[in-house]
Structure formats: structure tokens, C-alpha cells
Amino acid sequence: MVRGQYYFVKGLLEIPVIGSDVVFSWGVWVSLSRENFSRLADLWNRRGRETEKPHCGWLTTNLPAYSTTTLNLKTNVHIRPVGERTLAWIHQFKRLRI
């Protein structure tokens, strides 16, 4: 939270490596609404939190490998089990080109 006005969560953007079982992960920041951030905070240490529906947000990390900016792309945040980083999923990821 920044100045009680902006709300962010850190997550992983996982990209499968073609031709292998390896997944490459970017560490990214996603902005959330106050309501979604509050809900995520309420669930942070709760077992079973991974059953929560995804929360909508906006990617606030520019990934330099892509030819177009990745800032402000519509993103879903999926909560994983306690102890695991959240998962970020970009809605238009297939449109990004390296």
C-alpha cells in the first residue's frame, strides 16, 4: 500500500519454455483496487485461500524483453496456498512479442 491510496501485490508471471517442462518466472507487481487488496490481506495467512476466485488488477512492471510496454496490462491475480507467491496472469499475453 502506498499512501493509503495505491495497493499492490507481488506475484509471479509464469511463462512456459517451449519444448521443455521448464517454466520461466518474472517477479511482477500488480495494482489492485482497495477492495481486492483488502480481501487478499484478509486471506493472506488463511489455509485454503487458493480456492478464492482471481482478483482483477493492472500490471505495474515493465518487462524489458518485450517490444511493447507491459505497463497497465489487465491482469488477474490468483492466490496460491499459504507460503507460495501469488500468480499473475495477463489477459492479452499471447499478443506480446519479444
Side-chain angles (χ1 to χ4, degrees):
M1 179 178 4
V2 178
R3 298 186 191 136
Q5 189 175 11
Y6 305 102
Y7 303 88
F8 302 93
V9 64
K10 182 131 187 189
L12 295 175
L13 175 61
E14 295 183 342
I15 302 167
V17 176
I18 297 172
S20 76
D21 294 331
V22 175
V23 175
F24 176 81
S25 297
W26 287 99
V28 297
W29 288 96
V30 178
S31 68
L32 298 173
S33 68
R34 179 168 46 163
E35 295 79 18
N36 284 344
F37 181 85
S38 179
R39 177 68 180 156
L40 191 135
D42 288 345
L43 295 171
W44 196 252
N45 292 311
R46 189 175 300 168
R47 294 183 78 166
R49 70 184 192 170
E50 63 274 11
T51 62
E52 178 80 0
K53 67 179 180 74
H55 297 275
C56 186
W58 301 95
L59 189 66
T60 58
T61 302
N62 192 34
L63 303 175
Y66 295 94
S67 59
T68 59
T69 185
T70 57
L71 292 174
N72 297 317
L73 293 177
K74 190 173 183 180
T75 306
N76 275 354
V77 173
H78 300 263
I79 304 171
R80 292 180 171 174
V82 173
E84 293 183 32
R85 177 116 24 221
T86 56
L87 178 66
W89 183 81
I90 298 174
H91 286 248
Q92 299 177 351
F93 190 74
K94 289 184 179 180
R95 293 185 183 177
L96 293 177
R97 299 280 182 234
I98 293 181

